[in-house]
Amino acid sequence: MEKSSVAPAVPAAVIYKLLGFTLAMVAGPITTYYLTLNTVFRGSSTWAGATAAIMANVVLVAYVIVAMKEDQSDRLAAEEKARKGE
């Protein structure tokens, strides 16, 4: 009988990265809104909300870039392993 693998399906580094971006997606726009509401935009909730929306998009784009780089590094590692195996 074969032993089953007890290793997690998703590496811990991926989980920590996802949690970090989740925290940034929640805290970043809210913090940006309240920091800019009375200091930068002098009570204009429209501009503060727009800035918060921009911050949410910045976090989203950063996550996509990090995910693409991670995928690319995994692919390069697999190609290198295949090349050494031949």
Side-chain angles (χ1 to χ4, degrees), residues 6-61:
V6 292
V10 180
V14 173
I15 300 295
Y16 294 139
K17 196 177 305 178
L18 181 61
L19 288 174
F21 277 105
T22 301
L23 179 65
M25 184 58 90
V26 171
I30 293 171
T31 303
T32 301
Y33 176 81
Y34 284 109
L35 284 178
T36 61
L37 180 60
N38 292 319
T39 57
V40 178
F41 299 117
R42 296 188 180 109
S44 174
S45 61
T46 302
W47 287 106
T51 306
I54 291 169
M55 180 58 69
N57 284 301
V58 167
V59 173
L60 180 63
V61 168

